[in-house]
Amino acid sequence: MMSNLHNALTAQQLNIRLETILSLVLFQSRQLNTSVQQLADAPRSQQDWVIESTKLLAQHNLEIAYQFTQYVPTALNLMDMVGVELWLHETLLLYDNQSLHVAVQHLQQIEQFATDYQQNLNAIQLQDIQGILYNFVTGLNGRQLKIVSNDAVFTDTETLFLPAQLNYFAQSQDNFQLYKAMLSHLWAQTWFGTWRLNLKKECQGFNECDKVSRLFHCLERLRLDACLQRELPGLAKQMQQLLIVAKQPQVPKAWEQIAQHLAQANASVETSYQLLETVYSWTIPEPVCYQGVLRPDSVEQVVNKRRTEEKRVFQQALNQFLKHNQNSKTHNNEMSQFAVQNSDIYDAQAKQSPILTIDGQPMTVDAHTKKIMLSIMQDEGGMPQDYLIPAGNTGNEFNGTIELDTELASDATCFVYPEWDYLRQTYRQNWCYVEEVESPLNDEQFVHETLQQHRGLLKTLRRNFEALRGGRHWAKRQVYGEEIDIDALVQAQVDLLTGQEMSEQLFLKLQRMERNIAVMFMVDMSGSTKGWVNLAERQSLILLSEVLEKLGDRYAIYGFSGMTRKRCSIYPIKHFDEHYNHIVKQRISGIKPQEYTRMGVTIRHLTYLLSQVDAQIKLLITLSDGRPDDEGDNYRGLYGIEDTRQALLEAQREGIYPFCITIDTEAKTYLPRMYGNANYVVIDKVEQLPFKVADIYRRLTK
C-alpha cells in the first residue's frame, strides 16, 4: 500500500492528463482544479482507473466525461469500486438508451445512488430464502400456509404475502430476521384469532373506518407480540432486537397500560375490539417494521368460502358416523349426541388433539376429517355447536371423507366412496369399494432391456428434464464455491491496498431452489391395455422414473382396474416416500392387464392420497388407452364419462391439476368433456409419452 501511495499522481499531474482528454470542453470558468485535488489523495490504482474511464466516456460524449470527473471523487468516497463501476455502467446505459440530459442527471445524483447501492448490498431476496421460511412456518401450529411475494405484507389466512426483497436494515442478517418476524406476525394472526370476528362489521359503529382499522391493527400487534412472547420466547426476543436496531419502541408512548391489558393470557381479539373505544381519539402510532397491513376484504372472501365448505364436509362426516352408530342402537327413538373434547380450551397443545365423541364415547377419526376439525377450531376458537349437527342425507353432496366399510372391507386397505349419477344429478353414497392390492412383481430384466433399447432417448430426456430444474443461481461472496467471484476479488484487492482486512468470501456457489411439486401417475391396467399398450406403459414408466429421480420431484405411481363397484382395485407401484429401488422396478415390470376401467372412484382415492401430500403444485396424470368402462354394472357410455368428470372437478377443488395422456384415437369425442380441451393429449408411440410429460411439467410447474 505504501508503494501505491508513493507512486500516486499529484494534482498537477492528474490535471495535465485529464486536460489532454477534455480540452475541448474546458474553459476559464470550467476547470478541473477541485476534482484533481480530491483525486490526488486516492491510491494510484483508482487514479489510473479514473483516467481510463474518462477516456472511455470521451469516446461517447465529452460532456459526460467532464461531468464524470466532477463527481467521481464523491463516488470513490461513498462506495467500493464495484459500486463505482456500476454507477459508471448505468450512466452509459442511460446515455445510449435515453439522452445526454438523463445520463448527466444520473451522475449528479451520486449520493442517492450510493445510498441505494449500500442498501442493495445487504438486501435479501425472498426467493433465496423461501424454502427456509416455508420450513419455518410449517413447523408452527395450524393449517398449512403458502408464501407468495407481494408489494404489501399481509395475509388472507391461507397465504402469507411478503415483499420480494428486503433492504430495510444495513445488515443482511437483520433483513433475514425481519422476514422471519413478518412471517411470524402474519402466522400469529391466523393462529391467535385476529380474523375470528368481521373487522368491517365491527368498525361500523365508528365514523372513520380507516382510522379504526389502523388502531385495531396496533392493538392486535401488541396482543400478538405478547402471545408470541408466551409461546415462542426466543423468536419474540429476536423481534424485540429488530425494533431496537430500527429505533422503534415496542409499545407506543402512552400505550403502556393498554399493552399490559393485552398481554394477559386471557386477552383475545374481542379484547382488542373492546379497547377501540378507549383509543379511538388517540393518535395512530407508526407501525413497527414487521407489522404489515390488514386486508379485511381479502380475508373475508377466503374465510367465508372455507367456513362454508368445511362445515358442509364436517357435517357430512358426522352424518356417516351417525349412520354407523344408529345401526348399533337397540331403540329407534334414541338420538345420538356429538361433542368435541378440548374444543373450548384456548391452548395450542389441546387444539392439536381434539377428540370427537358420540354419546360420550370417543370415535376414531380419519386424518382428513381431523384436519377439517382443526381448521374449524382455528377459525372459530373452538367447535361451534351448530357444526355438531349432522347433515341430512340428501344424497346430492359429496362426502369429502373416506371411511372403512365394516361389512365389505376385510382390512384397513379397503375404502368406500360415492359415485355421481348424472341422470339423477345426485351422488350414490357409499357406492364404490376400493381395495389397495399388492402389486405383482416381475424380473428386472425388462428394466435392463428397456434402458438398453432406449438409451439414446433416455439421454435426451435427461437433458430435457435437467432444463426443468430451474431456480439455479450463483450465490455471491461465499467462503467456498465452484467459481471465483470477480467482484468480491476486486473488492478484496481494494481492501488490501487501503490497509483493510481482506475478506475470505471470494467465491461463487451454485445453488438450486427447492421445487415443491408432487405428481401422481394413474396407470390404466384394464384388460384392453393388453399388447403394445401395456408394453408402452411399462417402458414409459421406467424412462420417467429414471429422469424424475434426476429432477428430484416427488412422484408416485398407482395402477387401477376392477370389475363392478364392489371390486375396484388400486395397485400401489411406487409411494411418494418410496425410493426408486429394485422392488419398484419389479412392480413396474409386473404391470399386467386386469379387468375394467372404473375411473371415477380411482380419481377420488388418488385425490385423497394427493391431498395428504405437502406440496405447492400437485399433478394427477392419467395414462390410459381409452374411455371409462365397466360392463359389470353399466358403468359405461355417458354415465362413466360424467362420473369421471365429476371426480376430476373434485380433484381440482382440492388444488390438483389433472391431465390425461391416452392412445385412444377417438379420445376427442369424450376427453374434452372430462378434462377440458387443454388438459389431455393423444399419442401413438412409446417415445412420445415421456416428452409429453415433460411438456406438462414445463407448462404447469414453471
Side-chain angles (χ1 to χ4, degrees):
M1 184 184 76
M2 294 300 296
S3 175
N4 191 286
L5 290 175
H6 180 73
N7 293 329
L9 299 173
T10 64
Q12 184 179 6
Q13 290 171 321
L14 283 166
N15 194 68
I16 293 172
R17 298 193 183 194
L18 291 175
E19 272 191 349
T20 303
I21 303 169
L22 302 172
S23 59
L24 294 178
V25 292
L26 296 176
F27 39 86
Q28 186 172 1
S29 61
R30 196 180 201 190
Q31 296 297 320
L32 300 170
N33 297 337
T34 303
S35 57
V36 296
Q37 288 293 338
Q38 294 172 323
L39 289 171
D41 296 328
R44 177 62 184 268
S45 59
Q46 291 186 358
Q47 293 176 339
D48 289 342
W49 180 84
V50 170
I51 293 169
E52 292 302 317
S53 298
T54 305
K55 290 180 181 178
L56 173 67
L57 290 171
Q59 295 174 10
H60 291 77
N61 186 281
L62 283 171
E63 180 62 25
I64 291 181
Y66 170 75
Q67 294 292 341
F68 169 75
T69 62
Q70 301 304 294
Y71 294 98
V72 70
T74 304
L76 291 170
N77 286 331
L78 294 177
M79 296 181 291
D80 56 31
M81 285 303 298
V82 176
V84 177
E85 290 182 356
L86 181 61
W87 170 66
L88 174 61
H89 176 68
E90 291 191 7
T91 300
L92 286 172
L93 286 178
L94 289 171
Y95 175 70
D96 290 339
N97 297 325
Q98 296 190 39
S99 67
L100 172 63
H101 173 73
V102 174
V104 171
Q105 193 175 47
H106 176 72
L107 287 171
Q108 294 171 344
Q109 294 173 344
I110 178 59
E111 288 85 359
Q112 183 60 51
F113 180 89
T115 300
D116 295 340
Y117 171 73
Q118 293 299 336
Q119 289 180 338
N120 289 330
L121 271 181
N122 300 298
I124 296 289
Q125 305 294 327
L126 178 60
Q127 65 177 6
D128 292 340
I129 62 168
Q130 192 157 355
I132 298 173
L133 295 179
Y134 183 77
N135 290 335
F136 174 71
V137 76
T138 300
L140 300 174
N141 291 318
R143 69 175 62 89
Q144 182 179 336
L145 298 168
K146 295 180 289 186
I147 300 175
V148 174
S149 64
N150 193 276
D151 292 338
V153 179
F154 71 100
T155 181
D156 62 7
T157 74
E158 291 185 356
T159 302
L160 308 179
F161 296 93
L162 298 172
Q165 173 183 291
L166 274 183
N167 57 5
Y168 188 93
F169 292 106
Q171 300 297 321
S172 58
Q173 182 61 29
D174 291 334
N175 287 319
F176 173 72
Q177 294 299 335
L178 181 56
Y179 262 126
K180 281 183 62 178
M182 288 175 170
L183 177 139
S184 301
H185 220 269
L186 295 179
W187 165 79
Q189 291 180 20
T190 71
W191 180 246
F192 295 109
T194 296
W195 300 106
R196 287 179 188 149
L197 298 180
N198 190 313
L199 177 57
K200 291 197 298 184
K201 182 179 179 181
E202 297 296 328
C203 291
Q204 288 177 354
F206 298 90
N207 294 327
E208 302 177 63
C209 289
D210 179 65
K211 178 180 180 180
V212 172
S213 177
R214 292 165 65 189
L215 287 169
F216 169 73
H217 196 184
C218 182
L219 291 166
E220 274 296 276
R221 196 270 296 174
L222 292 171
R223 183 178 74 86
L224 297 178
D225 279 353
C227 292
L228 291 171
Q229 179 65 52
R230 287 193 297 272
E231 287 209 9
L232 300 167
L235 174 66
K237 186 176 181 180
Q238 292 175 354
M239 295 169 68
Q240 292 167 8
Q241 184 62 36
L242 282 179
L243 295 181
I244 294 173
V245 177
K247 298 180 180 180
Q248 294 177 329
Q250 183 172 14
V251 178
K253 189 176 181 180
W255 284 61
E256 288 81 3
Q257 283 189 314
I258 294 291
Q260 291 175 8
H261 192 43
L262 291 168
Q264 296 177 13
N266 61 352
S268 66
V269 66
E270 287 88 349
T271 309
S272 294
Y273 279 119
Q274 292 167 3
L275 291 171
L276 273 174
E277 290 190 9
T278 303
V279 302
Y280 181 63
S281 60
W282 297 9
T283 302
I284 303 172
E286 287 295 318
V288 296
C289 55
Y290 54 76
Q291 186 168 325
V293 296
L294 299 181
R295 294 281 178 86
D297 289 333
S298 299
V299 171
E300 184 177 22
Q301 181 179 0
V302 171
V303 170
N304 287 345
K305 180 180 178 181
R306 182 173 63 243
R307 280 174 169 161
T308 300
E309 178 65 12
E310 290 182 344
K311 183 176 182 180
R312 179 186 69 81
V313 172
F314 183 61
Q315 290 183 324
Q316 285 292 319
L318 294 184
N319 188 43
Q320 299 304 317
F321 289 133
L322 182 62
K323 286 181 181 179
H324 289 296
N325 192 65
Q326 292 292 79
N327 290 337
S328 65
K329 286 183 175 290
T330 56
H331 301 290
N332 293 331
N333 60 352
E334 293 184 54
M335 179 59 69
S336 297
Q337 298 292 323
F338 286 97
V340 175
Q341 297 179 7
N342 295 338
S343 66
D344 298 318
I345 302 174
Y346 194 80
D347 177 76
Q349 185 175 0
K351 290 203 298 187
Q352 288 298 310
S353 56
I355 301 173
L356 179 66
T357 65
I358 183 167
D359 298 331
Q361 297 299 314
M363 303 203 59
T364 301
V365 179
D366 61 81
H368 182 71
T369 304
K370 185 174 182 180
K371 180 180 177 182
I372 294 292
M373 291 172 62
L374 289 169
S375 182
I376 292 170
M377 294 165 65
Q378 184 175 339
D379 280 336
E380 308 296 339
M383 183 62 71
Q385 286 299 312
D386 61 321
Y387 279 61
L388 294 169
I389 302 173
N393 188 17
T394 59
N396 60 359
E397 296 184 48
F398 170 55
N399 175 13
T401 66
I402 64 171
E403 316 154 52
L404 178 65
D405 188 282
T406 56
E407 295 181 3
L408 293 177
S410 58
D411 55 47
T413 61
C414 188
F415 307 89
V416 60
Y417 289 94
E419 187 171 271
W420 178 253
D421 187 335
Y422 84 100
L423 293 172
R424 297 187 300 168
Q425 289 295 294
T426 63
Y427 283 99
R428 294 174 179 265
Q429 295 290 355
N430 306 325
W431 191 249
C432 294
Y433 295 84
V434 174
E435 184 174 9
E436 291 193 0
V437 181
E438 186 173 346
S439 300
L441 304 178
N442 200 1
D443 192 273
E444 287 185 55
Q445 183 61 30
F446 177 79
V447 176
H448 301 315
E449 292 174 354
T450 298
L451 295 177
Q452 181 65 23
Q453 179 184 350
H454 297 289
R455 58 184 182 276
L457 173 60
L458 185 59
K459 290 181 180 178
T460 303
L461 282 172
R462 282 174 173 163
R463 287 196 298 268
N464 287 2
F465 273 74
E466 179 68 24
L468 296 178
R469 283 176 177 266
R472 295 168 70 92
H473 70 283
W474 289 103
K476 297 183 177 182
R477 300 178 185 274
Q478 302 296 305
V479 177
Y480 64 92
E482 293 85 355
E483 300 287 346
I484 299 294
D485 187 339
I486 300 300
D487 293 340
L489 184 60
V490 170
Q491 176 60 46
Q493 288 294 325
V494 172
D495 291 342
L496 183 63
L497 293 173
T498 56
Q500 301 180 50
E501 183 178 355
M502 184 174 174
S503 172
E504 296 179 354
Q505 298 173 318
L506 303 176
F507 297 92
L508 295 170
K509 184 177 181 181
L510 190 60
Q511 295 181 343
R512 180 169 65 90
M513 297 300 294
E514 292 296 325
R515 292 158 58 89
N516 194 4
I517 299 169
V519 57
M520 175 84 78
F521 291 100
M522 172 178 152
V523 183
D524 186 354
M525 291 173 58
S526 62
S528 60
T529 62
K530 185 177 181 180
W532 79 271
V533 176
N534 174 261
L535 176 65
E537 287 181 339
R538 289 186 292 149
Q539 290 184 335
S540 298
L541 289 173
I542 290 168
L543 296 175
L544 284 170
S545 297
E546 291 286 335
V547 294
L548 285 173
E549 287 293 314
K550 298 294 182 182
L551 185 62
D553 288 347
R554 287 169 292 172
Y555 68 102
I557 305 171
Y558 285 78
F560 73 98
S561 183
M563 178 179 289
T564 78
R565 66 185 182 89
K566 295 184 180 180
R567 284 178 51 193
C568 303
S569 301
I570 300 288
Y571 298 87
I573 297 167
K574 180 187 178 300
H575 301 279
F576 279 112
D577 57 356
E578 191 172 13
H579 294 294
Y580 178 57
N581 52 32
H582 70 282
I583 295 296
V584 173
K585 294 176 182 177
Q586 290 175 11
R587 290 177 189 150
I588 295 175
S589 301
I591 293 176
K592 296 179 180 179
Q594 303 292 333
E595 296 170 304
Y596 290 98
T597 316
R598 204 176 195 103
M599 294 181 68
V601 64
T602 304
I603 291 170
R604 291 185 177 97
H605 184 63
L606 298 188
T607 294
Y608 168 72
L609 295 179
L610 258 177
S611 69
Q612 309 304 302
V613 179
D614 180 13
Q616 291 180 340
I617 298 176
K618 302 178 184 180
L619 309 180
L620 176 60
I621 301 178
T622 304
L623 312 180
S624 175
D625 74 327
R627 69 184 70 210
D629 181 69
D630 188 349
E631 70 175 13
D633 48 10
N634 297 317
Y635 188 88
R636 55 190 355 176
L638 194 56
Y639 183 98
I641 290 172
E642 290 298 319
D643 175 56
T644 302
R645 177 177 182 270
Q646 194 72 11
L648 291 168
L649 292 174
E650 294 159 15
Q652 290 172 357
R653 286 197 291 268
E654 290 291 327
I656 295 169
Y657 298 93
F659 201 97
C660 181
I661 303 175
T662 182
I663 55 90
D664 187 0
T665 56
E666 298 181 359
K668 292 183 179 179
T669 63
Y670 61 89
L671 279 186
R673 173 65 179 170
M674 290 161 50
Y675 284 88
N677 289 321
N679 295 324
Y680 76 94
V681 67
V682 180
I683 64 171
D684 56 12
K685 296 180 180 178
V686 60
E687 292 87 352
Q688 295 175 332
L689 179 54
F691 285 108
K692 292 300 181 183
V693 175
D695 290 340
I696 297 168
Y697 263 70
R698 189 172 291 108
R699 190 170 75 222
L700 297 180
T701 69
K702 62 183 179 180

